[in-house]
Amino acid sequence: QQAVRNVGIAERSGSRAGVWHPINPRLQLLDEPPPHRYPPRMIFDDIIAAIATAHGVAGVAVVRASGPGAFELARGIFVPAVEGDIPPRRMTYGRFVDEHGRTVDDGYFVHFPEGASFTGQEVVELHTHGGLAAPAKVLSLLAARGARMAEPGEFTRRALHTGRVDLAQAEAVLDVVHARSEAALRAARSRLAGALSGRVATIRDRLIEAKSLVEADIDFEDEDTGHVDPAEVRALLASVADDLDALCATYQRGRVYREGAYAVIAGRPNVGKSSLLNALLGRRRAIVADQPGTTRDAVEDEAILGGVPFRLVDTAGLRREAEAIESEGIEIARERMAEADLIVFVVDASAGWGDEDKQLRAELPPVPVIEVANKSDLLDDTGHDDGLLVSAKTGRDLDALIATMAATVIGDAGGEEEALLAHERHFRQCDLAAARVRDALAALDAGLSPAITALEMQDAIKALGEVLGETTPDDVLNQIFARFCIGK
């Protein structure tokens, strides 16, 4: 049983310490994972430099350098306005000069000593005038003195290398930069501050505790004393499994904050779908006409609704009989709906739900659907029961629709500082950890060898370690940091 289990581990993970992998001797199979190794080309003890601000016309640009000796290197191209030492963590005004002493630009010099910077290394930030020429010239002066041009995300990767951040926090840096709403920014800031990392680390530590209990039982299996109560281990594993399930359940909300929810507006022709899109966007984006079939392609745009970023899509009207071009638009509409996080299904409130509306509603894909009766401005004041009544023309109850849309895609908002899974990679690893913990529980309940239970738990520990970057393969790290801009 143990031998078969070892083969399964080798095929699934190929990364354990203690027993050598039968094919690749660099990989090990049991116990703790090997120490993390970076690609040979990734050097961390030289000086890197890059423009840290966006290119283009601006008031200020920042050129950043990091690495041992960055201060002395940058000091060679800077002349303070007032002679004297340059104090750390304070802005010193002066001139940037070339190798002949000619002034290139004037601005500020900021020095962050080793251990007191984002990267954990000695860092210098040179604040120049914005635009293209000034920061580019200052950067070229640093390069001429020996600085290497930084790769995408290399400053953040150095912060990971020095332990200033873990991998989940490093990814949150990019999420902060790309946040499209206040809620998304709060969630990203929470991850950057370590809320998700702390939650994952706590679960991992409890798994390590449970594994140590099982391994202690293995060590003392031939003794009359020292046995661990299986009920204690089971209770601990069950609690961890529940926590992992709860953590995985945050992925939908975290993903929506980071990527935006994909909401498709669908329904029969001429029910006001394009008008509703324009009303939600607050501007004219789609053509509106009384003639049915005006929209023949998907019209997409972005909006922040109820604090949630949305990608809104207006689609061709759905109906049974249509000409060739319109049929193509209907097919595109069905493709978009299959990919949606949410479908806003619109009917004409003045006509009520017809048989075709009901049939089309029944054929929608299995995603959340909000039923909306548009054109409520054409109704009298008597009661109607046609779903959520709105008017794209007058704006009636659009706030209620927006609130319903936001609540549908993010669920219970919870606390602002709640740790959320926001990346598919995080979700996959946490889901894998949950599955391995359930396997460990099953092995425990079946009375199998404690070694099997320990191996399942080690798989779960490794998966959580990948979230934090402790056991993450180099190719995955390369893919993550390749998404960063140069200078971050």
Side-chain angles (χ1 to χ4, degrees), residues 390-459:
V390 303
S391 172
K393 181 177 181 179
T394 66
R396 172 184 173 179
D397 285 338
L398 283 182
D399 289 343
L401 171 59
I402 289 172
T404 303
M405 291 173 65
T408 300
V409 296
I410 66 171
D412 182 13
E416 291 185 0
E417 301 304 318
E418 180 186 354
L420 303 174
L421 297 179
H423 293 259
E424 184 181 358
R425 185 184 72 84
H426 299 165
F427 173 75
R428 286 201 312 267
Q429 296 302 324
C430 287
D431 189 54
L432 173 61
R436 292 294 169 262
V437 171
R438 286 191 289 269
D439 289 343
L441 280 168
L444 192 65
D445 292 341
L448 300 180
S449 167
I452 295 179
T453 303
L455 287 168
E456 296 288 6
M457 285 189 282
Q458 181 58 35
D459 270 346

Side-chain angles (χ1 to χ4, degrees), residues 67-98:
F71 174 80
E72 288 300 325
L73 183 142
R75 183 68 177 81
I77 67 167
F78 182 75
V79 178
V82 178
E83 291 187 7
D85 295 334
I86 297 179
R89 295 183 296 277
R90 294 182 61 183
M91 301 184 77
T92 300
Y93 179 71
R95 299 178 295 119
F96 301 107
V97 297
D98 62 17

Side-chain angles (χ1 to χ4, degrees), residues 166-460:
D166 58 43
L167 188 54
Q169 290 174 296
E171 290 171 286
V173 171
L174 194 60
D175 296 339
V176 168
V177 173
H178 290 287
R180 290 181 285 171
S181 69
E182 290 186 14
L185 178 60
R186 287 195 300 268
R189 284 287 309 166
S190 177
R191 290 192 297 278
L192 181 57
L196 175 61
S197 303
R199 188 170 178 179
V200 171
T202 298
I203 295 174
R204 181 203 54 189
D205 290 345
R206 289 164 61 205
L207 268 174
I208 292 174
E209 177 187 355
K211 179 172 174 280
S212 67
L213 291 174
V214 172
E215 289 177 337
D217 201 33
I218 295 173
D219 292 339
F220 291 102
E221 62 182 352
D222 295 329
E223 304 290 337
D224 293 332
T225 60
H227 288 290
V228 176
D229 183 3
E232 179 183 357
V233 177
R234 196 191 191 290
L236 185 53
L237 286 177
S239 175
V240 168
D242 289 342
D243 287 347
L244 284 170
D245 288 341
L247 182 58
C248 288
T250 68
Y251 175 58
Q252 167 66 11
R253 181 177 164 217
R255 182 189 65 80
V256 165
Y257 279 146
R258 191 175 71 87
E259 299 178 359
Y262 195 51
V264 176
I265 303 174
R268 289 189 302 108
N270 234 30
V271 295
K273 300 185 299 300
S274 298
S275 297
L276 185 59
L277 173 70
N278 292 340
L280 291 172
L281 293 175
R283 59 187 176 84
R284 184 181 180 186
R285 175 66 176 83
I287 297 174
V288 176
D290 294 333
Q291 178 184 352
T294 303
T295 302
R296 299 193 174 191
D297 199 354
V299 179
E300 183 172 342
D301 212 329
E302 297 182 354
I304 305 299
L305 304 177
V308 178
F310 277 89
R311 290 182 295 152
L312 301 174
V313 185
D314 178 26
T315 58
L318 305 174
R319 58 178 169 180
R320 297 297 174 191
E321 297 181 1
E323 61 184 64
I325 296 179
E326 191 177 353
S327 296
E328 185 69 19
I330 292 173
E331 182 61 29
I332 292 174
R334 296 190 184 280
E335 291 174 358
R336 296 293 189 273
M337 287 189 290
E339 301 168 353
D341 295 305
L342 169 68
I343 296 175
V344 178
F345 187 75
V346 185
V347 299
D348 186 341
S350 63
W353 280 77
D355 292 338
E356 189 172 6
D357 291 310
K358 296 176 182 178
Q359 188 170 5
L360 291 172
R361 171 64 178 88
E363 295 173 353
L364 294 180
V367 298
V369 177
I370 299 176
E371 298 173 355
V372 176
N374 190 24
K375 302 185 181 182
S376 64
D377 54 290
L378 300 179
L379 300 175
D380 54 30
D381 293 332
T382 58
H384 294 273
D385 188 20
D386 290 323
L388 183 59
L389 290 173
V390 303
S391 172
K393 181 177 181 179
T394 66
R396 172 184 173 179
D397 285 338
L398 283 182
D399 289 343
L401 171 59
I402 289 172
T404 303
M405 291 173 65
T408 300
V409 296
I410 66 171
D412 182 13
E416 291 185 0
E417 301 304 318
E418 180 186 354
L420 303 174
L421 297 179
H423 293 259
E424 184 181 358
R425 185 184 72 84
H426 299 165
F427 173 75
R428 286 201 312 267
Q429 296 302 324
C430 287
D431 189 54
L432 173 61
R436 292 294 169 262
V437 171
R438 286 191 289 269
D439 289 343
L441 280 168
L444 192 65
D445 292 341
L448 300 180
S449 167
I452 295 179
T453 303
L455 287 168
E456 296 288 6
M457 285 189 282
Q458 181 58 35
D459 270 346

